[in-house]
Amino acid sequence: MLRVDVVKQLGAFALEVSFASEGRAIGLFGASGAGKTSLINMIAGLLAPDRGMIVLDGETLDDTTKQLHIPAHRRRIGYVFQDARLFPHLDVRKNLDYGRRMNGLAPDPAQEARVIDLLNIGHLLDRRIGALSGGERQRVALGRALLARPKLLLLDEPLGALDQERKAEILPYLTRLRDEVGIPIVYVSHDPDELRLLASQVAVLKAGRIVAFGGTDVLPV
Amino acid sequence: MFDISPTEWTAILLSLRVAVVATLVATPLGIGVAWLLARGRFWGKPLVDAFIYLPLVLPPVVTGYLLLLLLGRRGLVGEWLADHLGIVFAFRWTGAALACGVMSFPLLVRPIRLSIEAIDRRLEQAASTLGASPWKVFFTVTLPLALPGILAGMVLGFAKAIGEFGATITFVSNIPGETQTISSAIYSLIQTPDGDTAALRLVVVSVIIATAALVASEVFAWRATQRLHGH
Protein backbone atom coordinates (compact mmCIF):
# COMPACT_ATOMS: atom_id res chain seq x y z
CA MET A 1 0.00 0.00 0.00
CA LEU A 2 2.60 2.55 1.10
CA ARG A 3 6.21 2.28 0.00
CA VAL A 4 8.74 4.88 1.12
CA ASP A 5 12.41 4.93 0.25
CA VAL A 6 13.83 8.40 0.74
CA VAL A 7 16.95 10.35 1.65
CA LYS A 8 16.77 13.92 2.85
CA GLN A 9 19.45 16.19 4.28
CA LEU A 10 18.05 18.85 6.64
CA GLY A 11 20.95 20.97 7.85
CA ALA A 12 23.13 18.65 9.90
CA PHE A 13 20.34 16.10 10.18
CA ALA A 14 20.20 13.25 7.69
CA LEU A 15 16.98 11.33 7.18
CA GLU A 16 17.33 8.00 5.47
CA VAL A 17 14.21 5.92 5.57
CA SER A 18 13.01 2.87 3.73
CA PHE A 19 9.94 0.78 4.46
CA ALA A 20 6.97 -0.80 2.74
CA SER A 21 3.73 -1.56 4.51
CA GLU A 22 0.44 -3.20 3.65
CA GLY A 23 -0.98 -2.18 7.02
CA ARG A 24 -4.13 -0.09 7.29
CA ALA A 25 -2.84 1.60 10.44
CA ILE A 26 0.87 2.28 10.36
CA GLY A 27 2.49 3.69 13.48
CA LEU A 28 5.58 5.85 13.35
CA PHE A 29 7.28 5.83 16.69
CA GLY A 30 10.26 7.88 17.83
CA ALA A 31 11.48 10.56 20.23
CA SER A 32 11.16 14.19 19.22
CA GLY A 33 13.87 15.04 16.72
CA ALA A 34 13.94 11.51 15.29
CA GLY A 35 12.60 12.81 11.97
CA LYS A 36 8.97 11.69 12.22
CA THR A 37 7.45 14.96 11.10
CA SER A 38 9.95 15.43 8.25
CA LEU A 39 9.10 11.95 7.07
CA ILE A 40 5.35 12.48 6.97
CA ASN A 41 5.82 15.94 5.47
CA MET A 42 7.52 14.12 2.63
CA ILE A 43 4.65 11.65 2.33
CA ALA A 44 2.23 14.62 2.29
CA GLY A 45 4.29 16.33 -0.40
CA LEU A 46 5.12 19.37 1.74
CA LEU A 47 8.79 18.44 1.57
CA ALA A 48 10.57 16.91 -1.41
CA PRO A 49 13.11 14.14 -0.86
CA ASP A 50 16.67 14.67 -2.11
CA ARG A 51 16.68 11.13 -3.44
CA GLY A 52 14.26 8.25 -3.53
CA MET A 53 10.64 7.45 -4.13
CA ILE A 54 7.24 7.35 -2.46
CA VAL A 55 4.48 5.13 -3.82
CA LEU A 56 0.92 4.98 -2.50
CA ASP A 57 -1.46 2.26 -3.73
CA GLY A 58 0.56 1.83 -6.91
CA GLU A 59 0.64 5.55 -7.65
CA THR A 60 4.12 7.08 -7.66
CA LEU A 61 4.08 10.37 -5.74
CA ASP A 62 7.81 11.01 -5.74
CA ASP A 63 10.54 9.59 -7.89
CA THR A 64 13.72 11.62 -8.00
CA THR A 65 15.19 9.52 -10.81
CA LYS A 66 12.32 10.78 -12.99
CA GLN A 67 12.21 14.24 -11.40
CA LEU A 68 8.69 13.42 -10.33
CA HIS A 69 7.23 15.29 -7.39
CA ILE A 70 3.46 15.53 -7.15
CA PRO A 71 2.68 18.67 -5.13
CA ALA A 72 0.77 18.36 -1.86
CA HIS A 73 -2.47 19.77 -3.25
CA ARG A 74 -2.73 17.03 -5.88
CA ARG A 75 -1.93 14.08 -3.60
CA ARG A 76 -5.26 13.76 -1.81
CA ILE A 77 -3.45 12.87 1.39
CA GLY A 78 -5.14 14.15 4.51
CA TYR A 79 -2.98 15.60 7.27
CA VAL A 80 -3.97 16.26 10.85
CA PHE A 81 -1.39 18.42 12.56
CA GLN A 82 -0.52 18.44 16.22
CA ASP A 83 -1.70 22.06 16.42
CA ALA A 84 -4.89 21.47 14.35
CA ARG A 85 -4.21 24.46 12.07
CA LEU A 86 -7.83 25.32 11.56
CA PHE A 87 -8.48 28.45 9.52
CA PRO A 88 -9.21 31.26 11.97
CA HIS A 89 -11.12 33.34 9.43
CA LEU A 90 -13.66 30.58 8.77
CA ASP A 91 -16.22 29.04 11.09
CA VAL A 92 -16.27 25.31 11.83
CA ARG A 93 -18.71 24.52 9.02
CA LYS A 94 -16.55 26.28 6.42
CA ASN A 95 -13.40 24.68 7.78
CA LEU A 96 -15.01 21.28 7.37
CA ASP A 97 -16.14 22.08 3.84
CA TYR A 98 -12.81 23.55 2.71
CA GLY A 99 -11.24 20.39 1.30
CA ARG A 100 -14.36 19.44 -0.63
CA ARG A 101 -14.50 22.89 -2.23
CA MET A 102 -10.78 22.96 -3.06
CA ASN A 103 -10.95 19.54 -4.70
CA GLY A 104 -14.08 20.48 -6.61
CA LEU A 105 -16.02 17.53 -5.18
CA ALA A 106 -19.80 17.37 -5.22
CA PRO A 107 -21.44 17.85 -1.81
CA ASP A 108 -22.15 14.58 -0.07
CA PRO A 109 -24.55 15.29 2.82
CA ALA A 110 -24.63 11.64 3.91
CA GLN A 111 -20.84 11.50 4.24
CA GLU A 112 -20.84 14.85 6.01
CA ALA A 113 -23.44 13.67 8.48
CA ARG A 114 -21.46 10.46 9.10
CA VAL A 115 -18.22 12.31 9.83
CA ILE A 116 -19.92 14.95 11.96
CA ASP A 117 -21.64 12.21 13.90
CA LEU A 118 -18.50 10.08 14.20
CA LEU A 119 -16.56 12.98 15.70
CA ASN A 120 -19.54 14.41 17.61
CA ILE A 121 -19.02 17.95 16.33
CA GLY A 122 -22.57 18.73 15.21
CA HIS A 123 -23.08 21.30 17.97
CA LEU A 124 -19.93 23.18 16.95
CA LEU A 125 -20.75 23.90 13.31
CA ASP A 126 -21.54 27.58 13.67
CA ARG A 127 -18.74 28.31 16.12
CA ARG A 128 -15.68 30.36 15.40
CA ILE A 129 -12.33 28.61 15.78
CA GLY A 130 -11.35 30.88 18.67
CA ALA A 131 -14.30 29.56 20.65
CA LEU A 132 -13.19 25.89 20.53
CA SER A 133 -11.32 23.92 23.19
CA GLY A 134 -8.16 22.03 22.28
CA GLY A 135 -9.97 18.71 22.03
CA GLU A 136 -12.75 20.21 19.92
CA ARG A 137 -10.21 21.75 17.58
CA GLN A 138 -8.54 18.41 17.06
CA ARG A 139 -11.85 16.72 16.31
CA VAL A 140 -12.75 19.43 13.78
CA ALA A 141 -9.30 19.06 12.20
CA LEU A 142 -9.91 15.33 11.85
CA GLY A 143 -13.28 16.02 10.26
CA ARG A 144 -11.80 18.59 7.92
CA ALA A 145 -9.17 16.11 6.71
CA LEU A 146 -11.71 13.28 6.31
CA LEU A 147 -14.20 15.38 4.35
CA ALA A 148 -11.56 16.11 1.69
CA ARG A 149 -11.96 12.36 0.99
CA PRO A 150 -8.26 11.49 1.18
CA LYS A 151 -6.59 8.28 0.06
CA LEU A 152 -4.42 8.25 3.16
CA LEU A 153 -4.64 10.07 6.44
CA LEU A 154 -1.52 11.31 8.22
CA LEU A 155 -1.89 12.01 11.92
CA ASP A 156 1.05 13.87 13.41
CA GLU A 157 0.80 13.46 17.18
CA PRO A 158 -2.82 14.60 17.15
CA LEU A 159 -2.94 14.18 20.91
CA GLY A 160 0.44 15.77 21.57
CA ALA A 161 -0.88 19.18 22.56
CA LEU A 162 -3.60 17.81 24.84
CA ASP A 163 -3.60 16.96 28.54
CA GLN A 164 -4.39 13.42 29.79
CA GLU A 165 -8.08 14.08 30.15
CA ARG A 166 -8.43 15.47 26.63
CA LYS A 167 -6.39 12.58 25.26
CA ALA A 168 -8.81 10.15 26.82
CA GLU A 169 -11.60 12.18 25.23
CA ILE A 170 -10.13 11.92 21.70
CA LEU A 171 -8.74 8.39 21.68
CA PRO A 172 -12.11 6.65 21.24
CA TYR A 173 -12.75 8.84 18.17
CA LEU A 174 -9.44 7.75 16.69
CA THR A 175 -10.16 4.06 17.14
CA ARG A 176 -13.61 4.53 15.61
CA LEU A 177 -12.04 6.41 12.74
CA ARG A 178 -9.59 3.59 12.13
CA ASP A 179 -12.30 0.92 12.30
CA GLU A 180 -15.19 2.66 10.54
CA VAL A 181 -13.89 5.07 7.95
CA GLY A 182 -11.85 2.76 5.77
CA ILE A 183 -9.06 5.21 5.00
CA PRO A 184 -5.57 3.90 5.77
CA ILE A 185 -3.74 5.97 8.38
CA VAL A 186 -0.18 6.75 9.34
CA TYR A 187 -0.13 7.62 13.00
CA VAL A 188 2.88 9.45 14.42
CA SER A 189 3.52 9.41 18.13
CA HIS A 190 6.18 9.26 20.81
CA ASP A 191 3.76 7.45 23.10
CA PRO A 192 4.04 3.62 22.85
CA ASP A 193 0.66 3.12 24.56
CA GLU A 194 -1.16 5.18 21.97
CA LEU A 195 0.45 3.19 19.17
CA ARG A 196 -0.30 -0.16 20.80
CA LEU A 197 -3.93 0.91 20.80
CA LEU A 198 -4.11 2.33 17.29
CA ALA A 199 -1.45 0.84 15.02
CA SER A 200 -1.26 -2.59 13.46
CA GLN A 201 2.25 -2.09 12.13
CA VAL A 202 4.98 0.06 13.62
CA ALA A 203 8.18 1.65 12.34
CA VAL A 204 10.56 2.83 15.03
CA LEU A 205 12.51 5.89 13.97
CA LYS A 206 15.73 6.95 15.63
CA ALA A 207 18.06 9.74 14.50
CA GLY A 208 16.64 9.71 10.98
CA ARG A 209 16.73 5.94 10.48
CA ILE A 210 14.31 3.10 10.95
CA VAL A 211 15.74 0.84 13.64
CA ALA A 212 12.83 -1.57 13.98
CA PHE A 213 9.79 -2.47 11.89
CA GLY A 214 7.03 -4.92 12.59
CA GLY A 215 3.99 -5.49 14.80
CA THR A 216 3.33 -3.50 17.96
CA ASP A 217 5.73 -5.81 19.78
CA VAL A 218 8.66 -3.73 18.44
CA LEU A 219 7.53 -0.88 20.70
CA PRO A 220 9.40 -0.38 23.98
CA VAL A 221 7.49 -1.36 27.08
CA MET B 1 -17.86 80.81 6.26
CA PHE B 2 -19.32 77.48 5.14
CA ASP B 3 -20.54 78.68 1.80
CA ILE B 4 -18.37 76.47 -0.37
CA SER B 5 -17.89 77.96 -3.84
CA PRO B 6 -18.17 75.91 -7.06
CA THR B 7 -14.39 76.14 -7.60
CA GLU B 8 -13.80 74.75 -4.13
CA TRP B 9 -16.31 71.97 -4.71
CA THR B 10 -14.52 71.11 -7.93
CA ALA B 11 -11.21 70.87 -6.06
CA ILE B 12 -12.76 68.73 -3.29
CA LEU B 13 -14.42 66.32 -5.70
CA LEU B 14 -11.28 66.12 -7.83
CA SER B 15 -9.19 65.34 -4.76
CA LEU B 16 -11.56 62.56 -3.79
CA ARG B 17 -11.61 61.15 -7.32
CA VAL B 18 -7.81 61.31 -7.60
CA ALA B 19 -7.27 59.67 -4.21
CA VAL B 20 -9.90 56.97 -4.74
CA VAL B 21 -8.60 56.05 -8.19
CA ALA B 22 -4.98 56.14 -7.01
CA THR B 23 -5.80 53.85 -4.08
CA LEU B 24 -7.93 51.41 -6.05
CA VAL B 25 -5.37 51.03 -8.82
CA ALA B 26 -2.41 50.86 -6.45
CA THR B 27 -3.95 48.28 -4.08
CA PRO B 28 -3.75 45.13 -6.26
CA LEU B 29 -0.29 46.18 -7.36
CA GLY B 30 0.66 46.88 -3.75
CA ILE B 31 -0.58 43.44 -2.65
CA GLY B 32 1.54 41.82 -5.35
CA VAL B 33 4.65 43.79 -4.40
CA ALA B 34 4.05 43.22 -0.69
CA TRP B 35 3.74 39.49 -1.32
CA LEU B 36 6.96 39.46 -3.33
CA LEU B 37 8.83 41.38 -0.65
CA ALA B 38 7.42 39.23 2.14
CA ARG B 39 7.82 35.84 0.48
CA GLY B 40 10.04 36.16 -2.56
CA ARG B 41 13.64 35.14 -2.59
CA PHE B 42 15.30 36.65 -5.61
CA TRP B 43 18.42 38.44 -6.61
CA GLY B 44 18.24 42.20 -6.14
CA LYS B 45 15.44 42.11 -3.56
CA PRO B 46 17.10 44.81 -1.41
CA LEU B 47 17.21 47.03 -4.49
CA VAL B 48 13.51 46.50 -5.21
CA ASP B 49 12.82 47.15 -1.56
CA ALA B 50 14.76 50.44 -1.66
CA PHE B 51 13.14 51.47 -4.95
CA ILE B 52 9.63 51.02 -3.52
CA TYR B 53 10.46 53.27 -0.55
CA LEU B 54 12.17 55.92 -2.67
CA PRO B 55 9.12 58.23 -2.96
CA LEU B 56 8.96 58.30 0.82
CA VAL B 57 12.46 59.69 1.23
CA LEU B 58 12.97 61.71 -1.95
CA PRO B 59 11.77 65.32 -1.98
CA PRO B 60 8.29 65.15 -3.57
CA VAL B 61 9.33 67.71 -6.16
CA VAL B 62 12.06 65.31 -7.31
CA THR B 63 9.57 62.46 -7.71
CA GLY B 64 7.24 64.80 -9.61
CA TYR B 65 10.04 65.94 -11.88
CA LEU B 66 11.13 62.35 -12.54
CA LEU B 67 7.53 61.51 -13.47
CA LEU B 68 7.55 64.48 -15.84
CA LEU B 69 10.79 63.31 -17.46
CA LEU B 70 9.46 59.78 -17.77
CA LEU B 71 5.76 60.23 -18.50
CA GLY B 72 5.43 63.83 -19.67
CA ARG B 73 4.09 64.50 -23.17
CA ARG B 74 7.70 64.37 -24.46
CA GLY B 75 8.90 62.01 -21.76
CA LEU B 76 10.81 58.79 -22.33
CA VAL B 77 7.75 56.60 -21.92
CA GLY B 78 5.10 59.31 -22.12
CA GLU B 79 5.69 60.12 -25.78
CA TRP B 80 5.33 56.47 -26.77
CA LEU B 81 2.21 56.03 -24.63
CA ALA B 82 0.62 59.12 -26.18
CA ASP B 83 1.52 58.22 -29.78
CA HIS B 84 0.68 54.53 -29.66
CA LEU B 85 -1.96 54.12 -27.00
CA GLY B 86 -3.32 57.62 -26.72
CA ILE B 87 -2.63 57.66 -23.00
CA VAL B 88 -1.62 61.07 -21.69
CA PHE B 89 -0.82 61.78 -18.06
CA ALA B 90 0.72 65.23 -18.26
CA PHE B 91 -1.61 68.00 -17.06
CA ARG B 92 -4.52 65.61 -16.71
CA TRP B 93 -6.32 64.45 -13.59
CA THR B 94 -5.10 60.92 -14.40
CA GLY B 95 -1.56 62.27 -14.02
CA ALA B 96 -2.53 63.62 -10.61
CA ALA B 97 -3.82 60.17 -9.69
CA LEU B 98 -0.59 58.60 -10.92
CA ALA B 99 1.56 61.04 -8.92
CA CYS B 100 -0.56 60.40 -5.81
CA GLY B 101 -0.41 56.65 -6.38
CA VAL B 102 3.37 56.70 -6.66
CA MET B 103 3.77 58.89 -3.60
CA SER B 104 1.44 56.81 -1.46
CA PHE B 105 2.71 53.44 -2.68
CA PRO B 106 5.31 52.87 0.10
CA LEU B 107 2.70 53.64 2.75
CA LEU B 108 0.26 51.28 1.09
CA VAL B 109 2.74 48.42 0.73
CA ARG B 110 4.24 48.43 4.20
CA PRO B 111 1.26 47.34 6.33
CA ILE B 112 0.29 44.74 3.73
CA ARG B 113 3.79 43.33 3.72
CA LEU B 114 3.89 43.19 7.52
CA SER B 115 0.54 41.41 7.67
CA ILE B 116 1.64 38.86 5.07
CA GLU B 117 4.85 38.27 7.01
CA ALA B 118 2.81 37.70 10.16
CA ILE B 119 0.67 34.95 8.59
CA ASP B 120 1.34 31.49 9.96
CA ARG B 121 2.58 29.70 6.87
CA ARG B 122 1.60 26.38 8.38
CA LEU B 123 -2.02 27.36 7.71
CA GLU B 124 -1.12 27.62 4.04
CA GLN B 125 0.50 24.18 4.23
CA ALA B 126 -2.67 22.82 5.79
CA ALA B 127 -4.67 24.34 2.92
CA SER B 128 -2.45 22.67 0.34
CA THR B 129 -2.88 19.25 1.99
CA LEU B 130 -6.62 19.86 1.64
CA GLY B 131 -6.25 20.21 -2.11
CA ALA B 132 -5.78 23.96 -2.56
CA SER B 133 -3.43 24.94 -5.38
CA PRO B 134 -0.98 27.79 -4.66
CA TRP B 135 -3.40 30.33 -6.21
CA LYS B 136 -6.32 29.01 -4.22
CA VAL B 137 -4.20 29.10 -1.07
CA PHE B 138 -3.44 32.74 -1.82
CA PHE B 139 -7.06 33.73 -2.36
CA THR B 140 -8.68 31.61 0.35
CA VAL B 141 -6.09 31.80 3.13
CA THR B 142 -3.34 34.38 2.59
CA LEU B 143 -5.50 37.24 1.36
CA PRO B 144 -8.29 36.96 3.96
CA LEU B 145 -5.72 36.69 6.75
CA ALA B 146 -3.88 39.75 5.42
CA LEU B 147 -7.09 41.76 5.22
CA PRO B 148 -6.48 43.98 8.27
CA GLY B 149 -3.11 44.98 6.80
CA ILE B 150 -4.61 45.56 3.38
CA LEU B 151 -7.29 47.85 4.81
CA ALA B 152 -4.72 49.71 6.90
CA GLY B 153 -2.52 50.15 3.82
CA MET B 154 -5.44 51.39 1.74
CA VAL B 155 -6.41 53.98 4.33
CA LEU B 156 -2.84 55.18 4.79
CA GLY B 157 -2.40 55.33 1.02
CA PHE B 158 -5.67 57.18 0.58
CA ALA B 159 -4.77 59.70 3.27
CA LYS B 160 -1.38 60.29 1.69
CA ALA B 161 -2.93 60.55 -1.79
CA ILE B 162 -5.52 63.10 -0.76
CA GLY B 163 -2.89 65.28 0.87
CA GLU B 164 -0.23 64.93 -1.81
CA PHE B 165 1.05 68.22 -3.11
CA GLY B 166 4.68 68.43 -4.22
CA ALA B 167 4.86 65.65 -6.80
CA THR B 168 1.39 66.39 -8.15
CA ILE B 169 1.93 70.11 -8.74
CA THR B 170 5.33 69.42 -10.33
CA PHE B 171 4.02 66.73 -12.64
CA VAL B 172 0.57 68.02 -13.63
CA SER B 173 0.63 71.62 -12.44
CA ASN B 174 -2.32 73.38 -10.80
CA ILE B 175 -5.14 73.68 -13.34
CA PRO B 176 -8.57 74.38 -11.82
CA GLY B 177 -11.03 71.68 -12.81
CA GLU B 178 -8.37 69.33 -14.14
CA THR B 179 -5.48 68.99 -11.73
CA GLN B 180 -6.22 71.41 -8.91
CA THR B 181 -6.71 69.26 -5.82
CA ILE B 182 -7.57 70.53 -2.34
CA SER B 183 -3.88 70.92 -1.55
CA SER B 184 -3.02 72.95 -4.61
CA ALA B 185 -6.23 74.98 -4.26
CA ILE B 186 -5.23 75.88 -0.69
CA TYR B 187 -1.78 76.77 -1.95
CA SER B 188 -3.26 79.07 -4.62
CA LEU B 189 -5.70 80.65 -2.18
CA ILE B 190 -3.02 81.47 0.36
CA GLN B 191 -1.16 83.31 -2.36
CA THR B 192 -4.26 85.32 -3.28
CA PRO B 193 -5.24 88.45 -1.35
CA ASP B 194 -8.46 87.77 0.60
CA GLY B 195 -8.12 84.05 -0.03
CA ASP B 196 -7.77 83.24 3.66
CA THR B 197 -11.43 82.39 4.35
CA ALA B 198 -11.67 80.10 1.35
CA ALA B 199 -8.37 78.46 2.28
CA LEU B 200 -9.65 77.90 5.79
CA ARG B 201 -12.82 76.24 4.45
CA LEU B 202 -10.71 73.79 2.47
CA VAL B 203 -8.52 73.19 5.50
CA VAL B 204 -11.62 72.22 7.50
CA VAL B 205 -12.74 69.92 4.67
CA SER B 206 -9.28 68.28 4.63
CA VAL B 207 -9.44 67.67 8.36
CA ILE B 208 -12.91 66.14 8.03
CA ILE B 209 -11.87 63.79 5.20
CA ALA B 210 -8.70 62.71 6.99
CA THR B 211 -10.54 62.08 10.25
CA ALA B 212 -13.27 60.11 8.49
CA ALA B 213 -10.63 57.96 6.77
CA LEU B 214 -8.85 57.24 10.06
CA VAL B 215 -12.07 56.39 11.89
CA ALA B 216 -13.11 54.12 9.02
CA SER B 217 -9.76 52.34 9.14
CA GLU B 218 -10.04 51.81 12.90
CA VAL B 219 -13.51 50.31 12.46
CA PHE B 220 -12.38 48.08 9.59
CA ALA B 221 -9.30 46.92 11.49
CA TRP B 222 -11.32 46.21 14.60
CA ARG B 223 -13.89 44.17 12.71
CA ALA B 224 -11.24 42.27 10.76
CA THR B 225 -9.34 41.43 13.94
CA GLN B 226 -12.52 40.26 15.63
CA ARG B 227 -13.20 38.01 12.69
CA LEU B 228 -9.69 36.55 12.64
CA HIS B 229 -9.64 35.85 16.33
CA GLY B 230 -12.81 33.94 16.02
CA HIS B 231 -15.36 35.86 18.07
Side-chain angles (χ1 to χ4, degrees):
Chain A
M1 180 207 80
L2 179 65
R3 189 151 62 84
V4 177
D5 183 1
V6 289
V7 176
K8 178 80 182 175
Q9 191 72 37
L10 295 155
F13 181 79
L15 188 73
E16 213 176 320
V17 168
S18 175
F19 71 90
S21 172
E22 291 300 323
R24 305 290 294 170
I26 306 166
L28 264 180
F29 174 78
S32 53
K36 305 188 296 290
T37 298
S38 301
L39 177 57
I40 61 164
N41 279 345
M42 272 192 270
I43 298 173
L46 296 173
L47 195 66
D50 295 338
R51 273 187 289 123
M53 60 194 307
I54 296 171
V55 181
L56 174 66
D57 285 331
E59 188 190 352
T60 308
L61 302 175
D62 269 293
D63 186 348
T64 51
T65 61
K66 291 179 187 150
Q67 261 111 51
L68 177 76
H69 172 71
I70 297 189
H73 69 275
R74 286 204 261 118
R75 290 196 178 197
R76 298 292 292 275
I77 293 182
Y79 198 148
V80 177
F81 303 89
Q82 182 174 346
D83 50 353
R85 301 193 196 176
L86 298 174
F87 303 124
H89 56 298
L90 304 176
D91 61 17
V92 169
R93 193 188 301 275
K94 288 193 176 130
N95 266 280
L96 289 172
D97 202 37
Y98 187 86
R100 183 195 65 77
R101 283 198 304 128
M102 290 304 120
N103 287 300
L105 305 171
D108 183 347
Q111 155 87 341
E112 253 168 72
R114 250 195 321 275
V115 169
I116 287 168
D117 179 54
L118 172 84
L119 298 166
N120 190 20
I121 48 179
H123 58 296
L124 305 173
L125 293 179
D126 293 314
R127 294 246 192 111
R128 286 276 172 193
I129 300 313
L132 300 180
S133 72
E136 289 168 340
R137 274 170 210 239
Q138 220 41 285
R139 268 145 62 200
V140 173
L142 274 166
R144 184 178 67 169
L146 286 174
L147 287 171
R149 288 174 238 169
K151 298 176 195 159
L152 175 73
L153 191 58
L154 305 171
L155 302 159
D156 187 11
E157 309 224 20
L159 308 180
L162 305 176
D163 55 39
Q164 280 307 327
E165 221 169 298
R166 294 286 156 271
K167 278 186 195 179
E169 170 199 323
I170 306 286
L171 263 171
Y173 293 111
L174 291 174
T175 47
R176 283 181 71 187
L177 185 151
R178 180 198 57 192
D179 299 335
E180 294 175 23
V181 175
I183 297 170
I185 62 172
V186 174
Y187 191 94
V188 174
S189 180
H190 63 270
D191 182 344
D193 292 331
E194 258 172 61
L195 286 171
R196 260 190 281 274
L197 197 66
L198 290 168
S200 53
Q201 235 177 354
V202 175
V204 179
L205 207 58
K206 196 173 181 182
R209 284 186 169 64
I210 288 186
V211 293
F213 186 80
T216 47
D217 52 319
V218 299
L219 288 164
V221 183
Chain B
M1 162 87 198
F2 280 101
D3 190 13
I4 297 174
S5 76
T7 334
E8 290 157 37
W9 265 120
T10 310
I12 293 166
L13 292 176
L14 183 75
S15 273
L16 286 171
R17 173 156 45 139
V18 162
V20 166
V21 168
T23 310
L24 290 183
V25 173
T27 300
L29 209 66
I31 292 172
V33 169
W35 187 87
L36 263 180
L37 291 175
R39 294 289 173 76
R41 275 191 210 143
F42 53 93
W43 187 90
K45 184 171 156 180
L47 275 173
V48 175
D49 205 355
F51 182 74
I52 298 295
Y53 287 100
L54 220 49
L56 202 61
V57 286
L58 277 176
V61 62
V62 172
T63 306
Y65 188 56
L66 287 173
L67 283 172
L68 197 58
L69 290 179
L70 208 64
L71 292 161
R73 191 64 185 78
R74 307 221 179 292
L76 284 172
V77 184
E79 188 163 9
W80 189 90
L81 281 178
D83 293 347
H84 291 86
L85 301 174
I87 298 172
V88 177
F89 287 109
F91 308 112
R92 300 276 172 87
W93 75 269
T94 45
L98 180 74
C100 290
V102 169
M103 290 301 289
S104 60
F105 202 63
L107 292 170
L108 176 91
V109 167
R110 195 170 161 72
I112 303 178
R113 176 189 180 165
L114 290 176
S115 69
I116 292 177
E117 280 172 348
I119 291 172
D120 186 349
R121 299 201 62 180
R122 296 172 311 165
L123 291 173
E124 297 173 335
Q125 285 190 335
S128 71
T129 66
L130 290 162
S133 64
W135 277 108
K136 284 183 179 165
V137 171
F138 179 76
F139 282 108
T140 61
V141 178
T142 317
L143 214 51
L145 290 175
L147 200 60
I150 293 170
L151 291 172
M154 285 176 77
V155 170
L156 267 177
F158 177 82
K160 172 74 189 173
I162 209 151
E164 216 294 314
F165 174 68
T168 310
I169 204 166
T170 312
F171 182 37
V172 295
S173 184
N174 185 357
I175 308 162
E178 186 67 41
T179 63
Q180 188 177 68
T181 58
I182 297 182
S183 308
S184 37
I186 294 175
Y187 176 75
S188 295
L189 286 168
I190 303 174
Q191 310 242 319
T192 322
D194 306 324
D196 290 350
T197 329
L200 205 56
R201 272 199 294 273
L202 288 177
V203 167
V204 171
V205 170
S206 301
V207 171
I208 291 171
I209 293 174
T211 312
L214 285 174
V215 170
S217 93
E218 284 299 314
V219 172
F220 282 143
W222 182 79
R223 283 168 118 190
T225 317
Q226 290 287 306
R227 228 164 63 93
L228 291 191
H229 291 256
H231 297 298

